[in-house]
Amino acid sequence: MTTNVPTSPAGWLAPMIPLWNQQMLLGSEAAMVIARRMWLVALADPRAAAESQRMVAEKVETLAKVWWDMALAPSRALLGGKAMPTAHGEARRAVQTYRRKVRANLRRLGPV
């Protein structure tokens, strides 16, 4: 039986590097959002309470979206006649979804 699993480290590491890069960017962008929100609280900004509520609502909404996208991906692939999704592809889509939300928060919060 033959498999498509690369046997050399370069074969399986190379596709992961762009994903790791995106995850590092997500982490640094999320840290900037956290810092900006902390400044709002520290400065007793009137937007701080609303921002805290929005933060929790966004986290729940985004988690639900990512979870449902991952759960339904195999069904969508079968119904659409496409190849089954891979774990790497689903991880990439999840990171893209979170990065999109985080970048929107960075733009909305602006410089503090």
Side-chain angles (χ1 to χ4, degrees):
M1 176 191 321
T2 59
T3 62
N4 293 334
V5 177
T7 55
S8 71
W12 59 268
L13 276 177
M16 296 301 290
I17 292 173
L19 177 60
W20 292 337
N21 183 42
Q22 292 300 309
Q23 290 171 331
M24 287 188 292
L25 289 171
L26 172 62
S28 64
E29 291 164 347
M32 287 188 276
V33 170
I34 291 167
R36 290 177 185 181
R37 285 177 170 155
M38 293 295 289
W39 271 109
L40 288 177
V41 171
L43 297 173
D45 191 295
R47 300 175 294 167
E51 186 61 35
S52 296
Q53 290 175 345
R54 181 182 184 137
M55 175 186 64
V56 173
E58 277 182 350
K59 287 182 184 301
V60 171
E61 175 188 331
T62 306
L63 174 64
K65 179 187 180 339
V66 168
W67 190 88
W68 277 108
D69 285 349
M70 284 186 180
L72 297 177
S75 300
R76 288 184 184 137
L78 286 173
L79 293 173
K82 298 178 182 175
M84 289 297 283
T86 63
H88 180 268
E90 290 305 304
R92 185 175 40 80
R93 276 188 282 283
V95 170
Q96 286 172 345
T97 301
Y98 279 108
R99 280 199 70 207
R100 195 170 20 256
K101 288 287 191 177
V102 168
R103 285 191 310 261
N105 283 332
L106 277 173
R107 284 189 300 274
R108 185 176 46 74
L109 290 170
V112 177

